[in-house]
Amino acid sequence: MVYLALLLCFVASIIITPLVKKFAIKIGATDKPNYRKVHQKVMPRLGGLAIYISFLIGWVFLRPTDDLSTIPLLVGGLIIIITGFFDDLFELSAKLKFLAQIVAAGIVVIGGVQVDYINLPFGGELHFGILAIPLTIIWVVGITNAINLIDGLDGLAAGVSSIALITISGMAILKGDIYVTSVALILLGSTLGFLFYNFHPAKIFMGDTGALFLGYMIAVLSLMGFKNVTMISLIVPVIILGVPISDTFFAIIRRIKHKKPLSAPDKSHLHHCLLEVGFSHRQTVLLIYAMAACCGLSAFIFSMATSWGAILIGLVLLLAVEVIVEKVGLIGKEYQPLLRFINAKNDQMKDR
């Protein structure tokens, strides 16, 4: 039944996305090129609306239930969708979007989605007490914005989100968590259907409507799947979302260093850096997909290891990420002329 719902959402998203594209163009919800953006022509956004509608279709079909979390999750998601919709149409201020995210996060916290305590790996419990509420809100708002920040190339946010959802649903299946599995899979089907139109060269962008909604849902689902567990297991969602989290972390450091507002845009994100050293648009997206898939696989291994084994895996993972980033940069710089030559030839072949 769950897999049938996934297929239904996938088909619904494929059918609905072109309709949303026409609607976005009609109401003027378009993304215009500028110095910071990669695309060279006006593009319809609001694609996240197709993801959301397809998700609701799957929800009505499957009707996943959780006594505490269902209504808060849907209400919070609706707030995020409305915020993203108006931002795609009118470009809301960062403060207003941030406030809406806090409200949406607060609703699921009131609904019972929060990390109250964790079991320490070598015995005992650590109770967060009143800090559980702000910590949960920070997590939800942080991941929501992390997905939004990587939405800079065709298919990037949708693909990375899909990999995260595959990992979350897979681990939920192993834990026997039917609710998280169901919600993650219908969201996955909706996102993959949209990705059919969003992968390079994209025909429509998801906009903040999609990026904020995916970030919000992934943040909440990851908490629901790993709350009140061991300290080691609590690190699992961090590993699953390693790519957007690390990109957001370094973006914050850059902006603090240069004394800029945290909401200030720049062209120093991971995908910008990979493009700069010579990788093509498609190569950059696929490379980041591979990084996200490695994080997902690492999360599986990490969750099944002993405490000491998990710590060792975590250290190895951090070292591997550092080496990969450095090697990619060196390879890109060393073979930059060759990469640009190959990409130019590919463009010529496409033109013919």
Side-chain angles (χ1 to χ4, degrees), residues 185-227:
L185 286 179
I186 60 177
L187 185 57
L188 172 63
S190 304
T191 307
L192 289 175
F194 171 75
L195 187 58
F196 183 80
Y197 298 96
N198 185 236
F199 193 73
H200 185 69
K203 298 177 180 63
I204 182 173
F205 293 160
M206 68 167 62
D208 274 18
T209 309
L212 293 177
F213 177 66
L214 284 175
Y216 171 80
M217 292 297 295
I218 289 171
V220 177
L221 287 174
S222 63
L223 273 185
M224 292 177 70
F226 301 99
K227 65 178 181 178

Side-chain angles (χ1 to χ4, degrees), residues 38 153-154 156 199-202 274-275 279-289 343 346-347 350:
V38 177
L153 295 180
D154 297 353
L156 184 55
F199 193 73
H200 185 69
L274 292 174
L275 288 172
F279 290 100
S280 69
H281 194 128
R282 187 182 293 258
Q283 289 167 346
T284 297
V285 171
L286 292 176
L287 188 57
I288 296 177
Y289 281 2
N343 293 330
N346 287 336
D347 291 338
K350 290 177 184 177

Side-chain angles (χ1 to χ4, degrees), residues 4-284:
L4 183 59
L6 184 151
L7 180 61
L8 174 65
C9 290
F10 176 75
V11 174
S13 188
I14 286 180
I15 295 171
I16 294 170
T17 301
L19 303 177
V20 170
K21 177 184 175 182
K22 292 179 181 178
F23 176 66
I25 294 173
K26 185 174 182 179
I27 65 173
T30 56
D31 199 351
K32 299 175 178 61
N34 61 36
Y35 76 97
R36 187 174 61 86
K37 296 176 180 178
V38 177
H39 63 281
Q40 302 298 319
K41 61 180 181 179
V42 175
M43 290 288 293
R45 45 191 180 186
L46 211 65
L49 193 59
I51 297 175
Y52 181 64
I53 295 172
S54 303
F55 171 77
L56 289 182
I57 290 173
W59 190 289
V60 171
F61 174 80
L62 197 59
R63 295 188 180 182
T65 55
D66 182 289
D67 293 338
L68 293 175
S69 308
T70 298
I71 299 302
L73 181 66
L74 290 176
V75 172
L78 179 60
I79 291 173
I80 293 294
I81 283 292
I82 293 172
T83 303
F85 177 87
F86 283 107
D87 185 57
D88 286 338
L89 194 57
F90 302 115
E91 295 191 2
L92 304 177
S93 68
K95 290 181 180 179
L96 185 57
K97 289 192 290 184
F98 186 66
L99 178 61
Q101 292 166 27
I102 291 176
V103 171
I107 288 174
V108 292
V109 168
I110 293 172
V113 180
Q114 55 181 287
V115 181
D116 297 313
Y117 69 91
I118 55 175
N119 297 312
L120 299 175
F122 305 110
E125 295 178 348
L126 176 62
H127 289 263
F128 293 117
I130 196 170
L131 290 178
I133 294 175
L135 286 174
T136 304
I137 290 175
I138 289 171
W139 169 265
V140 174
V141 173
I143 298 303
T144 299
N145 284 284
I147 298 297
N148 193 30
L149 284 175
I150 65 167
D151 186 27
L153 295 180
D154 297 353
L156 184 55
V160 170
S161 296
S162 296
I163 292 168
L165 288 167
I166 290 170
T167 307
I168 291 171
S169 59
M171 298 187 75
I173 290 172
L174 292 178
K175 292 180 62 179
D177 193 328
I178 298 174
Y179 182 76
V180 172
T181 301
S182 301
V183 178
L185 286 179
I186 60 177
L187 185 57
L188 172 63
S190 304
T191 307
L192 289 175
F194 171 75
L195 187 58
F196 183 80
Y197 298 96
N198 185 236
F199 193 73
H200 185 69
K203 298 177 180 63
I204 182 173
F205 293 160
M206 68 167 62
D208 274 18
T209 309
L212 293 177
F213 177 66
L214 284 175
Y216 171 80
M217 292 297 295
I218 289 171
V220 177
L221 287 174
S222 63
L223 273 185
M224 292 177 70
F226 301 99
K227 65 178 181 178
N228 296 340
V229 290
T230 66
M231 180 179 289
I232 295 300
S233 296
L234 192 63
I235 301 173
V236 170
V238 177
I239 298 175
I240 292 172
L241 300 164
V243 171
I245 287 176
S246 60
D247 193 42
T248 302
F249 174 76
F250 288 116
I252 292 172
I253 296 299
R254 282 196 308 273
R255 288 160 193 176
I256 291 175
K257 180 181 178 181
H258 295 99
K259 297 180 180 179
K260 292 183 178 180
L262 295 182
S263 59
D266 62 30
K267 292 196 70 173
S268 297
H269 290 286
L270 176 60
H271 53 275
H272 291 129
C273 295
L274 292 174
L275 288 172
E276 184 65 25
V277 297
F279 290 100
S280 69
H281 194 128
R282 187 182 293 258
Q283 289 167 346
T284 297

